[in-house]
Amino acid sequence: MKNTGKEFMERTQYRYLDMSDQSMGYPQPELEKGVEDSDRIRDLPLPKSIEVEDMDLRQAIENRTSIRNYSSEPLSIEELSYLLWCTQGVKEVVRDVVTFRTVPSAGARHALETYILVNNVEELEKGLYRFLPVEHKLVEVDMGKDIADRVKHGCLDQAFVKSSAVTFIWTAVPYRMAWRYGQRGYRYLHLDAGHTCQNLYLSAVSVGCGVCAIAAFLDEEINPVLGIDGENEFVIYVATVGKK
């Protein structure tokens, strides 16, 4: 186990790659996880209708910092909708085979899913939701009273996971990326997560919020909380958001 990271980097070099499933004609994975007929779907305000403070990009970059302490002021549902759009918003769907979004992704594969733990958002019940980027809606995942405690425990009991207005939890569906890039695609999943979280940091400033990215979580604890198996889908990054 000592050299696991080094071995990963070596074994995902191009010279070790086999033919991808795409090159062999296998059908591509879905653009996003689906929903069941019994799932409860929540509409979100459309991004174009949301007004936010004009913010100079240089100022936002210079002032970017991680913030772990938040006020008790809730996020509005409009502000949450805006942050979801900034981090995984779909700008265009091309022939139902590719999406162009507000963040870059290797080969436009967009292998991330966005879950949110809602702690303090106007017009939304507390609980765990998943974002549907193509439709720009939310689907309820777990509305149990203990869900916030379970997520917090999976994040090494860091208190601000629960004291935030909302905690973003990004998962990766690796086959969406590996379908095109094989095992090297696992590298790109982490790059995509970084792009997405940086967009959250910068966009949050314009709605008076702070962000703290979290990479310290127990995979074997957090994945089951989301109802995912840790192999075909796994948590890759977490970030808290709240009013300053």
Side-chain angles (χ1 to χ4, degrees):
M1 300 294 289
K2 180 179 180 181
N3 294 316
T4 300
K6 180 180 179 182
E7 183 179 352
F8 167 73
M9 295 301 293
E10 291 176 349
R11 299 301 296 177
T12 54
Q13 293 178 20
Y14 271 109
R15 58 196 174 105
Y16 291 119
L17 299 187
D18 297 323
M19 290 184 63
S20 69
D21 283 1
Q22 180 186 18
S23 66
M24 291 189 289
Y26 288 95
Q28 76 163 27
E30 297 294 328
L31 297 177
E32 65 180 10
K33 287 180 66 175
V35 297
E36 303 293 335
D37 291 339
S38 58
D39 287 337
R40 293 183 60 188
I41 309 297
R42 177 62 193 255
D43 291 333
L44 289 168
L46 295 178
K48 290 182 179 180
S49 68
I50 301 168
E51 295 185 1
V52 297
E53 179 186 352
D54 287 335
M55 178 64 61
D56 179 78
L57 178 59
R58 177 169 179 169
Q59 181 183 357
I61 292 172
E62 288 178 345
N63 292 334
R64 191 222 59 77
T65 187
S66 292
I67 296 177
R68 296 171 175 81
N69 296 312
Y70 309 109
S71 76
S72 61
E73 181 183 353
L75 258 68
S76 70
I77 194 169
E78 289 81 10
E79 291 168 335
L80 174 61
S81 177
Y82 169 72
L83 295 178
L84 287 166
W85 181 80
C86 287
T87 51
Q88 280 293 304
V90 173
K91 298 186 290 184
E92 184 181 1
V93 181
V94 181
R95 298 191 304 277
D96 293 325
V97 298
V98 68
T99 56
F100 295 118
R101 306 193 185 187
T102 54
V103 291
S105 175
R109 297 308 305 145
H110 294 291
L112 302 186
E113 293 282 339
T114 304
Y115 294 75
I116 55 169
L117 175 66
V118 170
N119 297 313
N120 191 14
V121 178
E122 294 174 346
E123 302 180 50
L124 276 182
E125 182 182 351
K126 292 183 178 182
L128 183 69
Y129 300 77
R130 177 166 54 85
F131 180 48
L132 304 174
V134 175
E135 300 87 349
H136 198 77
K137 298 176 186 291
L138 291 174
V139 57
E140 293 182 1
V141 175
D142 190 330
M143 309 306 288
K145 292 183 179 180
D146 66 340
I147 186 60
D149 288 323
R150 293 166 60 202
V151 172
K152 180 170 74 76
H153 180 66
C155 294
L156 303 180
D157 283 315
Q158 297 178 86
F160 58 100
V161 169
K162 188 176 176 181
S163 63
S164 66
V166 60
T167 293
F168 282 64
I169 308 168
W170 293 289
T171 68
V173 180
Y175 186 62
R176 274 190 219 152
M177 191 68 74
W179 174 77
R180 175 169 293 176
Y181 297 112
Q183 293 301 296
R184 190 174 176 86
Y186 278 81
R187 290 195 189 193
Y188 304 155
L189 298 174
H190 296 86
L191 299 178
D192 282 10
H195 301 321
T196 298
C197 192
Q198 181 72 340
N199 263 29
L200 181 63
Y201 266 100
L202 297 180
S203 60
V205 176
S206 62
V207 291
C209 288
V211 174
C212 184
I214 299 173
F217 51 82
L218 296 170
D219 301 72
E220 67 276 15
E221 296 282 348
I222 194 71
N223 287 322
V225 172
L226 272 59
I228 57 179
D229 63 8
E231 181 176 350
N232 298 299
E233 182 181 2
F234 52 83
V235 174
I236 195 168
Y237 214 1
V238 180
T240 56
V241 184
K243 291 289 184 175
K244 296 179 180 178

